[in-house]
Amino acid sequence: MNQKLLLPLLLIVFLASCKSRQYSKNNKQIEKQATKANPNYESYSTLSYIDSFKGVAIEQMNASGIPASIILAQGILESGNGNSSLAKFANNHFGIKCTSDWKGKGYFKDDDARNDCFRVYKDARESYRDHSEFLKRKRYSFLFELDKNDYKNWAYGLKQAGYATNPKYPELLINIINRYKLNQYDEPETEKEKILREDRVFTEINKNIPKEKEKFAPVETPVSNQMITAAEAPMAPVDKTTTDGRYMVKKGDTLFNVAKRFNLTVDELRLLNNLQDTGIKIGQELLVVK
């Protein structure tokens, strides 16, 4: 290889390695703090998760108009019943990423890109409140015209607005709601209550519009990742799948690079395989065809 090309490539690899070590050290510190704050952490079942968070879901429904059933179903789906590492250590139950205006701590995980930055909250309630604020944007504004107990149209509307890339996202939410009867926590509102609630929420949305680009723009990808172009990156080996569209995990695989090879996002791959976290094991079979 030409020495003029070799040196920059070695520098890129070195910088990427340094960044990865920094992210790993950062995550270990956050995990240590979370474990110290809650040394007797117990995993949630779906029912215990619902029991723990139905109150804050109802609170957010009454404040913003998002059905409590939708909020709970998203929390169950996005956080693996509150047992994902992101929920356990970062109190992040909705996978909300760091943005350019975020002043808090970050927890790094491979998602749409390597080492994506996710927000760290002081508690799960803060995550639920931030989820409501995240939806108060122009692209989701039409949803707030729905009744706050209209969970089916909210589910399809979230997909229409681009909240998730999985084409089955609405059905996944609705199935969770129906299975656990989450719509029992939804409450109707009178016409007067709806008008007052809409006025309050749309005032907030309109106030956010001039700041949306700054407020919701994702943080920049680390420079070390930006510098690696497709031409410079090594080609991935051809991956064989079984006849039913499954792939067997090999040494060195991560959920991120498997998703990338099969033109999926990490979120899609997790949903296809009902994974609560991004950890995978050698020999594990993953469904990789939508």
Side-chain angles (χ1 to χ4, degrees):
M1 182 181 289
N2 190 311
Q3 288 187 347
K4 290 183 179 179
L5 293 176
L6 182 59
L7 187 59
L9 284 174
L10 289 173
L11 181 60
I12 289 168
V13 172
F14 174 74
L15 291 174
S17 176
C18 288
K19 283 288 185 181
S20 293
R21 284 198 294 270
Q22 289 175 9
Y23 296 143
S24 177
K25 184 178 180 181
N26 171 84
N27 285 0
K28 285 178 180 178
Q29 289 176 341
I30 289 171
E31 290 165 7
K32 184 178 179 181
Q33 291 168 358
T35 302
K36 185 178 179 180
N38 189 10
N40 300 315
Y41 177 86
E42 293 184 9
S43 297
Y44 291 99
S45 66
T46 305
L47 292 177
S48 66
Y49 183 90
I50 293 166
D51 192 54
S52 296
F53 298 106
K54 64 186 180 184
V56 66
I58 292 170
E59 176 186 292
Q60 290 306 306
M61 172 184 67
N62 290 329
S64 63
I66 308 167
S69 59
I70 285 288
I71 298 171
L72 281 170
Q74 285 191 287
I76 289 167
L77 187 61
E78 304 288 350
S79 74
N81 295 329
N83 298 317
S84 69
S85 59
L86 197 58
K88 181 178 178 181
F89 299 121
N91 288 312
N92 190 329
H93 287 235
F94 298 92
I96 297 179
K97 295 180 182 179
C98 306
T99 49
S100 54
D101 73 325
W102 177 246
K103 307 301 181 186
K105 296 178 181 178
Y107 188 85
F108 296 90
K109 290 175 67 69
D110 292 347
D111 193 54
D112 295 326
R114 187 175 293 279
N115 290 319
D116 267 341
C117 178
F118 290 86
R119 298 183 178 193
V120 176
Y121 300 102
K122 64 181 181 181
D123 55 42
R125 293 178 68 87
E126 189 177 76
S127 174
Y128 270 71
R129 288 192 293 269
D130 200 32
H131 169 257
S132 297
E133 292 303 312
F134 179 81
L135 292 177
K136 290 177 185 175
R137 301 158 66 177
K138 187 177 179 181
R139 64 191 288 189
Y140 301 114
S141 60
F142 69 95
L143 292 168
F144 292 94
E145 296 179 25
L146 298 170
D147 291 338
K148 67 177 186 177
N149 60 348
D150 189 359
Y151 69 90
K152 289 184 179 178
N153 279 320
W154 259 92
Y156 286 106
L158 284 168
K159 175 65 179 69
Q160 180 184 334
Y163 186 92
T165 56
N166 189 329
K168 296 182 179 179
Y169 192 74
E171 288 80 7
L172 290 169
L173 293 181
I174 291 169
N175 287 342
I176 291 171
I177 291 168
N178 291 339
R179 181 175 181 180
Y180 295 101
K181 297 180 173 59
L182 300 183
N183 57 313
Q184 67 181 293
Y185 305 116
D186 295 339
E187 298 171 1
E189 56 191 348
T190 65
E191 190 63 31
K192 183 178 179 180
E193 288 172 335
K194 183 178 180 182
I195 291 170
L196 290 173
R197 189 259 303 163
E198 286 179 348
D199 284 346
R200 183 176 66 254
V201 173
F202 278 105
T203 297
E204 293 178 41
I205 291 173
N206 290 332
K207 195 179 293 183
N208 275 336
I209 288 174
K211 305 174 185 176
E212 277 192 10
K213 187 174 181 180
E214 174 189 351
K215 190 170 183 179
F216 299 110
V219 292
E220 292 183 3
T221 305
V223 175
S224 57
N225 288 344
Q226 287 180 333
M227 293 172 67
I228 301 175
T229 65
E232 294 167 339
M235 290 184 65
V238 176
D239 294 301
K240 296 181 179 179
T241 60
T242 61
T243 54
D244 61 347
R246 294 180 181 275
Y247 167 77
M248 184 174 288
V249 176
K250 303 191 298 290
K251 184 177 180 180
D253 280 338
T254 66
L255 212 61
F256 170 76
N257 61 37
V258 173
K260 190 173 182 181
R261 286 177 212 157
F262 293 98
N263 296 317
L264 298 168
T265 65
V266 170
D267 195 38
E268 286 174 331
L269 192 55
R270 283 181 56 213
L271 289 172
L272 279 170
N273 293 278
N274 195 28
L275 299 175
Q276 295 183 351
D277 210 332
T278 56
I280 52 177
K281 299 177 181 178
I282 295 172
Q284 180 178 354
E285 286 195 346
L286 297 174
L287 183 63
V288 292
V289 177
K290 290 190 282 188

PDB file of all heavy atoms in Angstrom, residues 36 85 91-92 125 141 143 274:
ATOM      1  N   LYS A  36     -24.458   1.973  42.354  1.00  0.00           N
ATOM      2  CA  LYS A  36     -24.303   2.493  43.722  1.00  0.00           C
ATOM      3  C   LYS A  36     -25.605   3.101  44.217  1.00  0.00           C
ATOM      4  O   LYS A  36     -25.982   2.936  45.389  1.00  0.00           O
ATOM      5  CB  LYS A  36     -23.181   3.543  43.751  1.00  0.00           C
ATOM      6  CG  LYS A  36     -22.867   4.059  45.150  1.00  0.00           C
ATOM      7  CD  LYS A  36     -21.711   5.050  45.105  1.00  0.00           C
ATOM      8  CE  LYS A  36     -21.402   5.580  46.507  1.00  0.00           C
ATOM      9  NZ  LYS A  36     -20.277   6.560  46.481  1.00  0.00           N
ATOM     10  N   SER A  85     -29.902  -2.104  29.141  1.00  0.00           N
ATOM     11  CA  SER A  85     -28.828  -1.382  29.823  1.00  0.00           C
ATOM     12  C   SER A  85     -29.079   0.125  29.790  1.00  0.00           C
ATOM     13  O   SER A  85     -28.748   0.838  30.738  1.00  0.00           O
ATOM     14  CB  SER A  85     -27.477  -1.701  29.172  1.00  0.00           C
ATOM     15  OG  SER A  85     -27.470  -1.353  27.803  1.00  0.00           O
ATOM     16  N   ASN A  91     -31.461   5.423  32.871  1.00  0.00           N
ATOM     17  CA  ASN A  91     -32.861   5.782  33.111  1.00  0.00           C
ATOM     18  C   ASN A  91     -33.550   6.271  31.839  1.00  0.00           C
ATOM     19  O   ASN A  91     -34.500   7.053  31.891  1.00  0.00           O
ATOM     20  CB  ASN A  91     -32.969   6.863  34.201  1.00  0.00           C
ATOM     21  CG  ASN A  91     -32.662   6.330  35.578  1.00  0.00           C
ATOM     22  OD1 ASN A  91     -33.175   5.286  35.971  1.00  0.00           O
ATOM     23  ND2 ASN A  91     -31.804   7.027  36.314  1.00  0.00           N
ATOM     24  N   ASN A  92     -33.062   5.802  30.685  1.00  0.00           N
ATOM     25  CA  ASN A  92     -33.598   6.226  29.397  1.00  0.00           C
ATOM     26  C   ASN A  92     -34.499   5.115  28.860  1.00  0.00           C
ATOM     27  O   ASN A  92     -34.020   4.103  28.381  1.00  0.00           O
ATOM     28  CB  ASN A  92     -32.441   6.510  28.425  1.00  0.00           C
ATOM     29  CG  ASN A  92     -32.891   7.182  27.150  1.00  0.00           C
ATOM     30  OD1 ASN A  92     -34.004   6.979  26.672  1.00  0.00           O
ATOM     31  ND2 ASN A  92     -32.005   7.985  26.577  1.00  0.00           N
ATOM     32  N   ARG A 125     -38.770   8.891  35.677  1.00  0.00           N
ATOM     33  CA  ARG A 125     -39.839   9.883  35.496  1.00  0.00           C
ATOM     34  C   ARG A 125     -39.382  11.009  34.580  1.00  0.00           C
ATOM     35  O   ARG A 125     -40.151  11.508  33.758  1.00  0.00           O
ATOM     36  CB  ARG A 125     -40.277  10.446  36.853  1.00  0.00           C
ATOM     37  CG  ARG A 125     -40.972   9.448  37.759  1.00  0.00           C
ATOM     38  CD  ARG A 125     -41.332  10.068  39.097  1.00  0.00           C
ATOM     39  NE  ARG A 125     -42.359  11.081  38.949  1.00  0.00           N
ATOM     40  CZ  ARG A 125     -43.671  10.834  38.954  1.00  0.00           C
ATOM     41  NH1 ARG A 125     -44.097   9.583  39.089  1.00  0.00           N
ATOM     42  NH2 ARG A 125     -44.546  11.799  38.828  1.00  0.00           N
ATOM     43  N   SER A 141     -47.262  17.308  15.353  1.00  0.00           N
ATOM     44  CA  SER A 141     -48.313  18.198  15.860  1.00  0.00           C
ATOM     45  C   SER A 141     -49.726  17.700  15.556  1.00  0.00           C
ATOM     46  O   SER A 141     -50.635  17.853  16.375  1.00  0.00           O
ATOM     47  CB  SER A 141     -48.126  19.613  15.308  1.00  0.00           C
ATOM     48  OG  SER A 141     -48.173  19.621  13.897  1.00  0.00           O
ATOM     49  N   LEU A 143     -50.907  14.854  15.662  1.00  0.00           N
ATOM     50  CA  LEU A 143     -51.329  13.815  16.596  1.00  0.00           C
ATOM     51  C   LEU A 143     -52.063  14.393  17.805  1.00  0.00           C
ATOM     52  O   LEU A 143     -52.952  13.747  18.368  1.00  0.00           O
ATOM     53  CB  LEU A 143     -50.118  13.003  17.068  1.00  0.00           C
ATOM     54  CG  LEU A 143     -49.448  12.126  16.012  1.00  0.00           C
ATOM     55  CD1 LEU A 143     -48.108  11.606  16.518  1.00  0.00           C
ATOM     56  CD2 LEU A 143     -50.345  10.974  15.624  1.00  0.00           C
ATOM     57  N   ASN A 274     -37.031  -9.503  19.059  1.00  0.00           N
ATOM     58  CA  ASN A 274     -37.528  -9.308  20.433  1.00  0.00           C
ATOM     59  C   ASN A 274     -36.381  -9.236  21.436  1.00  0.00           C
ATOM     60  O   ASN A 274     -36.420  -9.848  22.506  1.00  0.00           O
ATOM     61  CB  ASN A 274     -38.497 -10.432  20.814  1.00  0.00           C
ATOM     62  CG  ASN A 274     -39.320 -10.099  22.049  1.00  0.00           C
ATOM     63  OD1 ASN A 274     -39.581  -8.930  22.340  1.00  0.00           O
ATOM     64  ND2 ASN A 274     -39.714 -11.114  22.787  1.00  0.00           N
TER      65      ASN A 274
END
